[in-house]
Amino acid sequence: MKIIVGNIENETLEAENLTSHLGEKIKIHGSIYKIRKMSGFAFILLRTKRKVVQCIYSREYSLFELEDLAEESCVTVTAQVIPEERSKTGFELQLLDMEILSKPVQQIPIVINNKRVDTSLENLLNFRPVTLRNERERAIFLLQEGITLGIREFLKQEKFTEIHSPKIVHAGAEGGANIFRFDYFGKEAYLAQSPQFYKQMMVGVYERVFEIAPVFRAEKHDTSRHLNEYTSVDFEMGYIRSFEDIMEMETGMLRHVMEVLESGYEEERKILNAKLPYIKEIPAIKFLEAKELISKKYNRPIADYDDFEPEEEKLLSQLIKKETGSDFVFVTHYPSRKRPFYAMDSEENQEETESFDLLFKGLEITTGGQRIHSYEEQLNKMRSRGMNTDLFESYLMMHKYGMPPHGGLGLGLERFTGRLLDQDNVRLSSLFPRDLNRVTP
Amino acid sequence: MKIIVGNIENETLEAENLTSHLGEKIKIHGSIYKIRKMSGFAFILLRTKRKVVQCIYSREYSLFELEDLAEESCVTVTAQVIPEERSKTGFELQLLDMEILSKPVQQIPIVINNKRVDTSLENLLNFRPVTLRNERERAIFLLQEGITLGIREFLKQEKFTEIHSPKIVHAGAEGGANIFRFDYFGKEAYLAQSPQFYKQMMVGVYERVFEIAPVFRAEKHDTSRHLNEYTSVDFEMGYIRSFEDIMEMETGMLRHVMEVLESGYEEERKILNAKLPYIKEIPAIKFLEAKELISKKYNRPIADYDDFEPEEEKLLSQLIKKETGSDFVFVTHYPSRKRPFYAMDSEENQEETESFDLLFKGLEITTGGQRIHSYEEQLNKMRSRGMNTDLFESYLMMHKYGMPPHGGLGLGLERFTGRLLDQDNVRLSSLFPRDLNRVTP
């Protein structure tokens, strides 16, 4: 019998800690990211967990042959940490010795160790397991990790409980045809379009809940904005006074996210040239007013009174940016007929809902609103839409047995990341995007 | 236009903060959990986000009629905070006034406001949206939240990067028939049985990664141990010296989880009568040795040399507990033919793998091990199993272009929670469990 004591020490150091070992002989492991041969010596970039470290090979002190090294080899090196002002880390590593742990079988057919991976989107995604090794590509998802970190920190502080709701469901929350179906032991089941029903139920349990998890949309849109699977940040809160409480909470949350990205993630922001928006406040405009404003300012006839065209979202964001300086804008009071059956209609105007979207630099990244909490009201709305309420028995159970006024939102993590980095395609902020034509890698 | 400033202040207080308001008149909101009428007064339990607070209704000072109150009504109360030694919180609330925000349409047909919900498992799950409102039920998932909190804290500290991998996949990681299939825009796609392929790919990117997300198993087992959808805690790490590094990491992680649950979550532990195991070290025994030991000690013939019977897992845990005091035991070196194609075989014995399971009080809660990182070795193993390597082109890409020695594990969150609480059915630690017969609520 062996005894495992939980010893997680390593003889190798972390790149982040090297500055406290200046002048010392150390060991560190990583992948050979790039070899740049000069005369008599070579620059070697070592890719570690989160940082790329500059090393120097020289025949003067290196006890191995440069020819034995290949890019993407995994190695443990013994090196001297030398102060070096010209290096952005403040030091460089003089390579003394090298243990090769593994070698690639062949060279990657795409150059991944330049500033950017210079290839088509198609290639970038086809070769995802290796193009993600590019310093810029991996910075995107470190920043994305920072976003979820900030969200979790904030929501925990605001006493939201994290939940895990099922993705295999018996009814779709968003309705319509955009749902994946499959055979579940002889019954038909679906992939959850959102955790909507479950997060509402859990408001009856913990008052405030959140979940960061995959959702699935069988939308046949092949655009730069749509993914068929994405990571949804959902929160739902009880005892709200109006749906504005949700917008206030989101504004606080986004502000905190920016603070987290601002105080950490400096290197990633630099690599990505990311300019974080400063969120002092976010303007909110009614849907109809926004439609009319865009129509007037840009001299566009209104083609559709029910929804925005993508172009209108862009124009509205431009306008708001110009007038208020804000990259974000809430659009409120969407038409009732375009919102789901659980959306609460406005008291003043039953054609409108107590709902909102959040646009960020021209793209909708959040949909939210107040939900119906009264059993009778919910039944009536479902009936008026010709829905079979029997199918929603377990959903309606919470209304029947008592629910507080409540509401919440869903934020698309990839869209948010993408807008933050001014990317022109949401696929770029998904590690392994799923679209109409892509289920690989 | 409105301006949203991110104001998340409330006029109501949190139950946790009331002790600093002794003697004051305050407002607080929540659900009426229980009404216990006495003569001339009544005890009223108010269910808030995470705590149940004791309130007193009395005709002397309460400015409303007790008859207006119903259990599961949502209310905002005005109350006086009175020191009260007999209350476990150290205070009670004298109800002055009450605003009713919503009322249930009818009484819940199951009693949910006793210590335990005294009903069948079937009923408990059928009425999940309301049975979860029970103080004991909701404590289970607060503790579960504490588990993931501890895991995240630990893995972040150990420089693991959190990732989001796709659940819609083109090939199954675990192989076999236990996979859900569905039509993905005319192509066949599957629900991920694990993030295995993706977390391995991401080791090539960040060296250490983790994910806490749903996985899907189309297993036709109707047992107390199986769920068809569960929350998998997966981590994967590069530059390991052997698979023991992974067990060391898991031991450290579990120890940290216990520290988090020990320092917080006191009330939940009390409600659940949870005794946390102290993890000083965890013994590890080879699979074959374990089989023989059980056979000898309990005089059982070995029926199956490839796997444990559930009874054997229980007996082994009993034995280890008796001999070492540990509730956990690692079982290592599982037979190669029972492990997936990516498992690394042992150098000394090719029939065995560099792999392990972790048993906790008689139940397997983790499977892990070292993976093959050499391209040739991986190709050979797949071919020897008659697999079509063309289907795994994007998976094999990482091996081809260089991977460090690596390995990782998957831990079933519900099983772990269940064993921690000595529950006899894993469904009890899933908010909305999915099994052969259940896709609702």
Side-chain angles (χ1 to χ4, degrees):
Chain A
M1 217 182 294
K2 280 215 168 200
I3 297 298
I4 308 294
V5 296
N7 173 19
I8 51 178
E9 296 298 308
N10 248 312
E11 57 161 8
T12 49
L13 294 180
E14 299 293 334
E16 289 82 351
N17 304 336
L18 290 181
T19 36
S20 55
H21 292 269
L22 290 181
E24 291 175 30
K25 197 168 118 178
I26 58 101
K27 283 194 174 201
I28 187 168
H29 64 239
S31 294
I32 305 294
Y33 186 47
K34 191 167 195 163
I35 302 174
R36 199 142 48 95
K37 289 183 194 174
M38 314 299 275
S39 64
F41 73 106
F43 288 110
I44 290 171
L45 296 180
L46 186 73
R47 193 177 65 232
T48 71
K49 292 187 188 71
R50 292 179 160 235
K51 304 220 179 285
V52 171
V53 183
Q54 180 166 296
C55 309
I56 313 285
Y57 171 92
S58 165
R59 277 186 219 133
E60 275 179 47
Y61 45 75
S62 302
L63 301 171
F64 58 97
E65 296 300 319
L66 186 59
E67 285 58 44
D68 291 346
L69 274 192
E71 286 173 352
E72 293 304 312
S73 279
C74 297
V75 297
T76 300
V77 305
T78 308
Q80 198 88 25
V81 189
I82 304 292
E84 170 54 65
E85 277 180 18
R86 284 165 300 179
S87 156
K88 61 180 174 178
T89 53
F91 64 83
E92 62 185 21
L93 296 182
Q94 289 186 348
L95 295 178
L96 304 178
D97 211 352
M98 172 94 60
E99 184 193 355
I100 296 177
L101 303 170
S102 75
K103 275 184 177 183
V105 176
Q106 57 182 72
Q107 250 196 324
I108 302 174
I110 294 173
V111 179
I112 65 146
N113 56 12
N114 284 341
K115 285 242 154 118
R116 280 169 184 270
V117 184
D118 185 17
T119 188
S120 66
L121 179 63
E122 193 64 14
N123 254 336
L124 186 76
L125 299 180
N126 284 342
F127 284 89
R128 210 58 165 153
V130 286
T131 53
L132 283 169
R133 297 180 185 181
N134 171 260
E135 203 178 357
R136 192 174 188 283
E137 288 299 317
R138 67 177 202 158
I140 296 170
F141 300 95
L142 289 176
L143 212 69
Q144 190 169 74
E145 177 214 55
I147 294 172
T148 58
L149 195 76
I151 289 171
R152 278 211 172 80
E153 259 184 27
F154 179 82
L155 293 178
K156 182 169 189 300
Q157 177 188 307
E158 293 304 321
K159 292 188 174 293
F160 284 77
T161 296
E162 186 166 7
I163 59 167
H164 303 281
S165 73
K167 306 309 159 203
I168 298 175
V169 297
H170 67 288
E174 306 308 313
N178 297 333
I179 192 162
F180 291 110
R181 288 147 212 277
F182 66 104
D183 175 68
Y184 187 82
F185 305 117
K187 284 192 286 269
E188 189 168 69
Y190 309 95
L191 288 182
Q193 295 164 309
S194 97
Q196 185 62 35
F197 297 166
Y198 298 98
K199 62 180 182 166
Q200 282 188 258
M201 291 176 195
M202 295 310 292
V203 163
V205 178
Y206 295 125
E207 189 187 316
R208 290 182 172 184
V209 294
F210 78 101
E211 179 165 16
I212 302 179
V215 297
F216 309 90
R217 303 277 171 106
E219 286 173 340
K220 287 187 182 152
H221 299 308
D222 189 10
T223 79
S224 62
R225 311 186 310 281
H226 286 92
L227 293 170
N228 294 102
E229 174 179 351
Y230 67 89
T231 306
S232 185
V233 175
D234 279 272
F235 75 63
E236 196 79 9
M237 52 194 282
Y239 299 90
I240 58 174
R241 289 154 298 191
S242 89
F243 77 101
E244 284 179 20
D245 282 354
I246 306 158
M247 298 195 290
E248 297 284 0
M249 191 63 77
E250 180 167 31
T251 302
M253 180 174 89
L254 294 176
R255 186 184 293 151
H256 185 73
V257 166
M258 296 311 155
E259 285 162 4
V260 166
L261 297 182
E262 187 65 42
S263 62
Y265 300 92
E266 191 189 342
E267 197 163 331
E268 289 76 23
R269 281 189 282 111
K270 251 188 216 160
I271 293 171
L272 294 162
N273 195 23
K275 310 242 175 305
L276 301 179
Y278 170 65
I279 304 176
K280 183 170 166 277
E281 53 192 31
I282 298 181
I285 182 170
K286 285 192 170 189
F287 173 76
L288 259 183
E289 283 174 26
K291 289 290 274 193
E292 282 159 9
L293 186 70
I294 301 162
S295 170
K296 214 176 75 185
K297 290 268 179 178
Y298 295 96
N299 202 17
R300 288 169 59 98
I302 299 179
D304 176 3
Y305 272 94
D306 283 1
D307 215 341
F308 280 127
E309 300 162 47
E311 184 61 18
E312 286 175 313
E313 293 188 341
K314 280 181 198 158
L315 293 175
L316 179 62
S317 281
Q318 274 176 28
L319 207 62
I320 295 289
K321 176 76 180 175
K322 209 167 68 184
E323 294 195 358
T324 71
S326 175
D327 287 317
F328 295 89
V329 55
F330 285 113
V331 180
T332 64
H333 298 91
Y334 277 79
S336 192
R337 61 191 169 280
K338 290 300 285 184
R339 289 293 201 180
F341 68 89
Y342 50 78
M344 183 178 270
D345 294 329
S346 296
E347 244 181 278
E348 316 85 71
N349 180 351
Q350 296 282 317
E351 304 284 302
E352 290 177 354
T353 48
E354 299 288 285
S355 72
F356 66 93
D357 277 8
L358 178 64
L359 309 188
F360 179 25
K361 296 185 189 169
L363 185 69
E364 177 236 306
I365 61 162
T366 289
T367 294
Q370 182 158 1
R371 331 297 186 183
I372 297 170
H373 61 275
S374 147
Y375 183 63
E376 290 302 332
E377 205 177 318
Q378 183 61 83
L379 276 184
N380 288 340
K381 188 155 180 178
M382 291 171 87
R383 283 181 189 137
S384 76
R385 292 190 172 201
M387 292 170 71
N388 178 357
T389 55
D390 290 348
L391 294 177
F392 294 85
E393 194 189 340
S394 63
Y395 176 65
L396 291 166
M397 199 183 288
M398 62 174 163
H399 303 84
K400 192 190 274 178
Y401 301 125
M403 275 297 278
H406 66 283
L409 58 77
L411 175 149
L413 180 62
E414 294 82 358
R415 281 192 175 190
F416 182 38
T417 312
R419 289 293 70 213
L420 200 62
L421 299 175
D422 295 309
Q423 291 172 336
D424 57 11
N425 195 313
V426 71
R427 287 164 183 79
L428 295 169
S429 41
S430 170
L431 282 176
F432 300 96
R434 294 294 177 250
D435 64 29
L436 265 180
N437 307 305
R438 181 177 291 281
V439 280
T440 54
Chain B
M1 218 183 290
K2 281 215 167 198
I3 298 295
I4 308 295
V5 296
N7 174 18
I8 50 178
E9 296 298 308
N10 249 311
E11 57 160 6
T12 49
L13 294 179
E14 299 293 334
E16 288 82 352
N17 303 335
L18 290 181
T19 37
S20 55
H21 292 269
L22 290 181
E24 291 175 31
K25 199 168 115 176
I26 58 99
K27 283 194 174 199
I28 186 168
H29 65 240
S31 295
I32 304 294
Y33 186 47
K34 191 166 196 165
I35 302 174
R36 199 141 48 95
K37 288 183 194 174
M38 314 300 275
S39 64
F41 74 105
F43 288 110
I44 290 171
L45 296 181
L46 187 72
R47 192 179 63 234
T48 71
K49 292 187 189 71
R50 293 180 160 235
K51 304 219 178 285
V52 171
V53 183
Q54 181 166 294
C55 308
I56 312 286
Y57 171 93
S58 165
R59 277 188 218 130
E60 276 178 47
Y61 46 74
S62 302
L63 300 171
F64 58 96
E65 296 300 318
L66 186 58
E67 284 60 43
D68 291 345
L69 274 192
E71 286 172 353
E72 294 303 313
S73 279
C74 296
V75 297
T76 300
V77 304
T78 308
Q80 198 88 25
V81 190
I82 303 293
E84 169 53 65
E85 276 179 21
R86 284 164 299 178
S87 156
K88 60 179 174 177
T89 52
F91 64 83
E92 62 185 21
L93 296 180
Q94 290 187 348
L95 295 178
L96 303 178
D97 211 350
M98 172 92 61
E99 184 193 354
I100 296 177
L101 302 170
S102 75
K103 276 183 176 183
V105 176
Q106 59 184 69
Q107 250 196 323
I108 302 174
I110 293 174
V111 179
I112 65 145
N113 56 12
N114 284 342
K115 285 241 154 120
R116 281 168 182 270
V117 183
D118 185 17
T119 188
S120 65
L121 178 64
E122 193 64 14
N123 255 334
L124 185 77
L125 298 180
N126 284 342
F127 284 89
R128 209 58 166 153
V130 286
T131 53
L132 283 169
R133 297 179 185 181
N134 171 260
E135 203 179 357
R136 192 173 187 284
E137 288 298 317
R138 67 178 202 155
I140 296 170
F141 299 96
L142 290 176
L143 213 68
Q144 189 169 73
E145 178 214 55
I147 293 172
T148 57
L149 195 76
I151 289 171
R152 277 211 173 80
E153 260 183 27
F154 178 82
L155 293 178
K156 183 168 188 303
Q157 177 189 305
E158 294 304 321
K159 294 189 173 292
F160 285 76
T161 296
E162 185 166 6
I163 59 167
H164 302 282
S165 74
K167 306 309 158 202
I168 297 175
V169 296
H170 67 291
E174 306 308 314
N178 296 333
I179 192 162
F180 291 110
R181 287 150 211 276
F182 65 104
D183 175 69
Y184 186 83
F185 306 118
K187 284 192 284 271
E188 188 168 68
Y190 309 94
L191 288 182
Q193 295 163 309
S194 96
Q196 185 62 34
F197 297 166
Y198 298 98
K199 62 179 182 167
Q200 281 187 260
M201 291 175 196
M202 295 310 291
V203 163
V205 178
Y206 295 126
E207 189 187 316
R208 291 183 171 184
V209 294
F210 78 101
E211 179 165 15
I212 303 179
V215 297
F216 309 91
R217 304 277 171 106
E219 287 173 340
K220 286 186 181 154
H221 299 307
D222 189 9
T223 78
S224 62
R225 311 187 308 281
H226 286 90
L227 292 170
N228 294 101
E229 174 180 351
Y230 67 88
T231 307
S232 184
V233 175
D234 278 272
F235 75 63
E236 197 79 9
M237 52 195 281
Y239 299 90
I240 58 174
R241 289 155 298 191
S242 89
F243 78 102
E244 283 180 20
D245 281 355
I246 307 158
M247 299 195 289
E248 298 283 359
M249 190 63 78
E250 180 166 32
T251 302
M253 180 174 89
L254 295 175
R255 186 184 292 150
H256 184 74
V257 167
M258 295 310 156
E259 285 163 3
V260 166
L261 297 182
E262 186 66 42
S263 61
Y265 299 92
E266 191 190 342
E267 196 163 329
E268 289 76 22
R269 283 189 282 110
K270 251 188 215 161
I271 292 170
L272 294 162
N273 195 23
K275 310 243 176 304
L276 301 180
Y278 170 65
I279 304 176
K280 185 171 165 276
E281 54 191 32
I282 298 180
I285 182 170
K286 285 192 169 187
F287 174 75
L288 259 184
E289 284 174 25
K291 288 291 274 193
E292 282 159 10
L293 186 70
I294 300 161
S295 170
K296 214 176 75 184
K297 289 269 180 181
Y298 295 96
N299 202 15
R300 288 169 59 98
I302 299 178
D304 177 1
Y305 271 94
D306 282 1
D307 215 341
F308 281 127
E309 300 162 46
E311 184 60 18
E312 286 175 313
E313 294 188 341
K314 280 180 198 157
L315 292 175
L316 179 63
S317 281
Q318 273 176 30
L319 207 60
I320 295 290
K321 175 76 179 174
K322 210 167 68 185
E323 294 195 359
T324 71
S326 176
D327 286 318
F328 296 89
V329 55
F330 284 114
V331 180
T332 65
H333 298 91
Y334 277 79
S336 192
R337 61 191 170 279
K338 289 302 283 184
R339 290 292 201 179
F341 68 87
Y342 49 77
M344 183 178 271
D345 294 328
S346 296
E347 245 180 277
E348 315 87 71
N349 181 351
Q350 297 281 318
E351 303 285 301
E352 290 177 354
T353 49
E354 300 288 286
S355 72
F356 65 93
D357 277 8
L358 178 64
L359 309 188
F360 179 25
K361 295 185 190 170
L363 186 69
E364 176 236 306
I365 61 163
T366 289
T367 294
Q370 182 158 0
R371 331 297 186 184
I372 298 171
H373 60 276
S374 146
Y375 183 61
E376 291 302 331
E377 203 177 320
Q378 184 59 85
L379 276 184
N380 287 341
K381 187 154 179 178
M382 291 172 86
R383 284 182 188 137
S384 76
R385 292 189 172 203
M387 292 170 71
N388 179 357
T389 55
D390 290 348
L391 294 176
F392 294 86
E393 194 189 339
S394 63
Y395 176 64
L396 291 166
M397 199 183 290
M398 62 175 162
H399 304 84
K400 192 190 276 178
Y401 301 125
M403 275 297 278
H406 66 284
L409 58 77
L411 175 148
L413 180 62
E414 295 82 358
R415 281 192 176 189
F416 182 38
T417 312
R419 289 291 70 211
L420 200 61
L421 299 173
D422 294 309
Q423 291 172 337
D424 56 12
N425 196 312
V426 70
R427 288 166 181 78
L428 294 169
S429 41
S430 169
L431 282 176
F432 300 96
R434 294 294 177 253
D435 64 28
L436 265 180
N437 307 302
R438 180 176 292 281
V439 279
T440 55

